[in-house]
């Protein structure tokens, strides 16, 4: 549940970079995603036809501030997105490094504070830094979106221990792994760790078969959530027999 809204799927899917509008439409349907993200800049270039694909999907639309490098730019983009899409939800991105696309933590917190005060329901794209997470919560965010790895890298969860610490530190805050996921197995791993959702784009959009890959990610996210709720067995240092010794046949000494 995000900002009081119950979402049927824990997969959140980006809409950029698909080979065609038809494939995008099929991929969204095959994924079973409950939320789709869209950049205001892309929407502005493709207009009503693209908006119709988003509307017809039946998914909750999460506009984002992709490409923004300052708090002011991100706030202005969010305000425009609210007018275009008619939603107070916004995925807040404020990029601080051109090569890694790592978010600028200072500008991110500043923009989050402004937007939350204006009634936005902010989904901040951040790193797994606990202090940044605390500041975002203090600013009014009720969701955190730590990256798995740099955007579009497909490296998966690069800092497993850091992400585990974040999950433990914010037990009651919805946490979404955003960026860096390249394979369904990586999404499943995030869900097994107890994260509430996974957001990805490139791994589906650039696949040889985006529709099939979208389906694979949808199933992986669902399986990971079920496994987490079922309770994963803890790892052991030594082997342990799965068949008990009690009840095994005893062979008499043949003398």
């Amino acid at each position: 549940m995000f900002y009081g809204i119950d979402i049927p799927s824990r997969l959140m899917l980006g809409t950029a970079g698909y080979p065609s509008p038809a494939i995008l439409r099929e991929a969204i349907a095959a994924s079973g995603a409950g939320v789709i993200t869209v950049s205001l800049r892309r929407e502005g270039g493709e207009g009503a036809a693209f908006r119709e694909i988003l509307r017809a999907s039946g998914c909750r639309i999460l506009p984002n501030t992709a490409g923004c490098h300052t708090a002011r730019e991100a706030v202005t983009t969010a305000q425009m997105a609210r007018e275009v899409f008619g939603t107070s939800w916004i995925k807040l991105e404020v990029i601080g490094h051109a090569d890694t696309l790592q978010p600028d933590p200072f500008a991110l917190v500043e923009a989050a504070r402004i937007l939350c005060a204006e009634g936005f329901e902010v989904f901040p794209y951040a790193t797994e830094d606990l202090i940044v997470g605390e500041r975002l919560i203090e600013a009014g965010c009720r969701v955190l979106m730590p990256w798995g790895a740099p955007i579009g890298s497909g490296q998966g969860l690069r800092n497993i221990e850091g992400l585990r610490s974040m999950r433990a530190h914010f037990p009651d805050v919805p946490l979404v792994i955003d960026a860096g996921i390249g394979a369904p197995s990586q999404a499943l791993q995030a869900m097994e760790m107890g994260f509430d959702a996974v957001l990805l784009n490139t791994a589906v959009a650039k696949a040889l078969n985006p529709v099939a890959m979208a389906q694979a990610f949808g199933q992986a996210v669902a399986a990971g959530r079920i496994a987490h709720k079922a309770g994963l067995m803890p790892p052991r240092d030594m082997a342990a027999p799965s068949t008990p010794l009690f009840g095994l046949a005893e062979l008499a000494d043949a003398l």
Side-chain angles (χ1 to χ4, degrees):
M1 182 176 291
F2 302 109
Y3 290 102
I5 303 296
D6 192 15
I7 304 299
S9 169
R10 293 175 183 272
L11 175 62
M12 306 168 79
L13 193 64
T15 57
Y18 286 81
S20 71
I23 291 177
L24 169 60
R25 185 183 301 109
E26 293 178 30
I28 293 173
S31 72
V35 175
I36 51 177
T37 65
V38 56
S39 167
L40 180 66
R41 295 181 179 186
R42 181 188 174 185
E43 192 284 336
E46 300 187 7
F50 182 59
R51 280 202 305 273
E52 176 57 24
I53 292 175
L54 304 182
R55 186 199 64 77
S57 72
C59 299
R60 182 94 180 187
I61 296 175
L62 177 61
N64 66 48
T65 62
C68 293
H69 291 265
T70 67
R72 181 177 180 181
E73 185 181 14
V75 168
T76 301
T77 301
Q79 292 167 338
M80 293 171 62
R82 181 160 61 179
E83 292 186 17
V84 171
F85 295 104
T87 177
S88 60
W89 279 22
I90 191 74
K91 178 190 169 188
L92 180 60
E93 297 183 28
V94 187
I95 301 303
H97 192 275
D99 292 331
T100 65
L101 301 182
Q102 181 170 332
D104 179 335
F106 307 103
L108 181 66
V109 173
E110 179 185 353
R113 185 175 291 111
I114 294 170
L115 292 173
C116 289
E118 292 185 2
F120 281 89
E121 294 169 315
V122 179
F123 294 69
Y125 162 63
T127 64
E128 66 278 17
D129 188 293
L130 300 182
I131 304 305
V132 173
E134 291 280 8
R135 297 295 178 268
L136 289 167
I137 295 296
E138 292 170 3
C141 297
R142 291 164 53 192
V143 177
L144 297 175
M145 303 182 76
W147 69 351
I151 295 172
S153 68
Q155 296 177 19
L157 309 181
R158 289 203 310 183
N159 184 1
I160 296 290
E161 292 308 314
L163 290 170
R164 282 182 177 149
S165 294
M166 191 170 203
R167 177 69 283 178
H169 191 72
F170 297 103
D172 300 320
V173 177
L175 299 182
V176 180
I177 293 293
D178 177 17
I181 296 296
S185 58
Q186 297 166 354
L188 185 147
Q189 182 184 25
M191 297 304 296
E192 286 181 342
M193 290 169 59
F195 284 86
D196 296 279
V198 170
L199 193 160
L200 56 98
N201 188 161
T202 307
V204 170
K206 301 303 182 183
L208 293 177
N209 186 335
V211 177
M213 188 62 76
Q215 182 181 18
F217 269 106
Q219 293 176 354
V221 168
R225 179 62 180 178
I226 293 170
H228 172 70
K229 296 293 287 184
L232 297 169
M233 68 171 288
R236 298 188 178 107
D237 292 331
M238 300 292 291
S242 57
T243 302
L245 297 178
F246 177 78
L248 292 181
E250 295 183 11
L251 301 179
D253 192 359
L255 284 179

